[in-house]
Amino acid sequence: TTLGLDTESIKMNARAFTADENISLSQWVVDAPPHIQSLWLGCDPVGCRSIVTLEKVLDKDQLATIAAGIDAVTWVDQVNIISTVLKRYRVLASESLAAVYTLIAGVLVFLFGWRSALRIVAVPGVSVALALSLTALMGNPFSLFNLLALMVVVGIGIDYAVFYHLHGRSKPSTALAVTLSALTTVLAFGMLSFSTTAVVHTFGVTLFVGIGAAFLLAPFAAAPVEGTGLHPEKENDI
C-alpha cells in the first residue's frame, strides 16, 4: 500500500508468493550476500550452526556469563583474542629488545672498553627514551608496533654511534654518510607519521623521533683519541 499498489495487485502478488515453492536454508545461503554467507557454518547430524554478530555491546563479561550457561552457545570475543596475542608478542618483543641491547653492550665493552661502550650504547638508549616519551605525550598507546620501531632505532643508532666512534674525528666523510643515511631513513619511515591509520602513525612517529635523536647524539660517541678507537683506555696507558 505504501508503494502505491492497488488492492488487486496486492492480492495477485500474495497469491504468487504463497504458491511459490519454499526455499531451503542452503539455497538461501547460496544467494545471500557474502557477509551473510560467512556467518553460516553448516549442518551435521547433531544440528546446524551459525555465527551471530553483536554490535554496541556494553558489558561483554555479562554476555560471556550468559553464554556459558547455554550448552548450544559458544561465546567468542575476537577482539579480546587478538589483543591477548598482541600483548604476549609485546612482552616477548620487549624481552628480546632488552636482551639484544645487553648483548650489544657486552660486545662493545669487549671491543672498545667500558667508557667508549657507554658512550656508544647511550646513543640508542637516549633515542629510545625520547621516542617513548613523545609517544606517551601524544597520547598514543604503547603497542607491539612501537617495539618494532624501537628495534630499528636501536640497530641504526648503534651503527651511527660506532661509525662516529671509529672515524668521526679522522674522516669528515663519516658525518656525510651518517647524515645521508638518517635523511633516507626518515624519508622512508618517518613520513608514516602523517598516516591517518593509528598503527602506522605510531610506528612512523616512533621511528622519526628515534632516528632523529640518534643522528643528533651520534657525534658525542666519537672517540677522544686518534686511531682506530679500539680500547682507547689502553692506548692512553701506552
Side-chain angles (χ1 to χ4, degrees):
T1 302
T2 304
L3 292 174
L5 298 177
D6 55 33
T7 304
E8 187 60 32
S9 297
I10 292 175
K11 291 181 179 180
M12 181 180 67
N13 281 279
R15 289 193 296 268
F17 181 79
T18 54
D20 197 3
E21 180 182 359
N22 292 331
I23 301 176
S24 65
L25 181 58
S26 58
Q27 291 174 321
W28 179 81
V29 169
V30 172
D31 296 327
H35 69 281
I36 297 295
Q37 294 182 16
S38 62
L39 300 178
W40 178 242
L41 302 179
C43 296
D44 56 29
V46 178
C48 299
R49 298 178 179 83
S50 67
I51 299 173
V52 178
T53 57
L54 305 178
E55 296 181 357
K56 299 180 180 179
V57 175
L58 300 179
D59 192 345
K60 295 188 294 183
D61 294 335
Q62 184 178 4
L63 282 176
T65 302
I66 295 174
I70 306 175
D71 294 336
V73 175
T74 300
W75 170 256
V76 179
D77 187 351
Q78 195 66 31
V79 174
N80 184 61
I81 293 174
I82 295 175
S83 299
T84 302
V85 172
L86 291 179
K87 181 180 179 180
R88 185 169 68 252
Y89 286 161
R90 186 174 67 243
V91 172
L92 291 175
S94 300
E95 294 173 350
S96 299
L97 181 60
V100 169
Y101 192 79
T102 303
L103 178 62
I104 291 174
V107 173
L108 292 175
V109 169
F110 175 76
L111 292 176
F112 304 119
W114 70 270
R115 288 195 182 93
S116 297
L118 183 61
R119 287 198 302 271
I120 295 173
V121 298
V123 172
V126 175
S127 301
V128 167
L130 290 174
L132 289 177
S133 300
L134 183 61
T135 300
L137 289 175
M138 295 178 64
N140 295 325
F142 182 71
S143 66
L144 174 64
F145 301 97
N146 292 95
L147 280 169
L148 297 177
L150 292 179
M151 290 181 179
V152 178
V153 172
V154 169
I156 294 180
I158 287 291
D159 285 344
Y160 292 170
V162 169
F163 292 155
Y164 265 102
H165 181 75
L166 292 177
H167 305 294
R169 296 181 182 276
S170 59
K171 294 183 179 179
S173 58
T174 299
L176 176 61
V178 172
T179 301
L180 293 177
S181 174
L183 287 176
T184 54
T185 304
V186 168
L187 288 175
F189 296 105
M191 298 299 289
L192 297 176
S193 59
F194 295 100
S195 174
T196 56
T197 304
V199 171
V200 178
H201 171 75
T202 301
F203 184 86
V205 169
T206 305
L207 269 177
F208 184 87
V209 177
I211 297 301
F215 168 70
L216 296 176
L217 294 172
F220 293 98
V225 295
E226 299 296 333
T228 62
L230 292 176
H231 291 298
E233 295 88 349
K234 295 182 180 180
E235 291 180 6
N236 287 335
D237 295 339
I238 295 174

